[in-house]
Amino acid sequence: MKSKTFSGYQRDFAKALLVKPEYTMEEAKKVLDNFFGKEGINDGRRNLDKPE
C-alpha cells in the first residue's frame, strides 16, 4: 500500500478490501478498481465523462 500506484485509494477501505495476507500489485489493483469502479483510472478521481 506504500506504492504510488495506490495513492488515490483511501487506506482504511483498501485494508478492509484486501483481506489476504499478500497480493501482487496487479491483484490488489484489480480488487480495488472493481470495488471503487475505476477502470484504468490511476489518479483516484471518478471519470464523470463515462456513464455508469
Side-chain angles (χ1 to χ4, degrees):
M1 289 304 305
K2 295 179 182 181
S3 170
K4 286 185 179 184
T5 301
F6 301 110
S7 64
Y9 300 97
Q10 293 181 354
R11 271 190 122 147
D12 53 342
F13 286 113
K15 284 182 182 181
L17 293 170
L18 301 172
V19 295
K20 295 188 323 186
E22 292 184 8
Y23 287 84
T24 65
M25 296 280 282
E26 185 177 309
E27 289 172 329
K29 185 155 174 29
K30 184 175 180 180
V31 169
L32 296 172
D33 286 349
N34 285 337
F35 181 81
F36 289 110
K38 298 176 184 182
E39 297 174 3
I41 300 171
N42 292 325
D43 65 1
R45 294 179 286 182
R46 292 200 86 141
N47 185 350
L48 299 178
D49 295 327
K50 183 177 180 188
E52 293 191 31

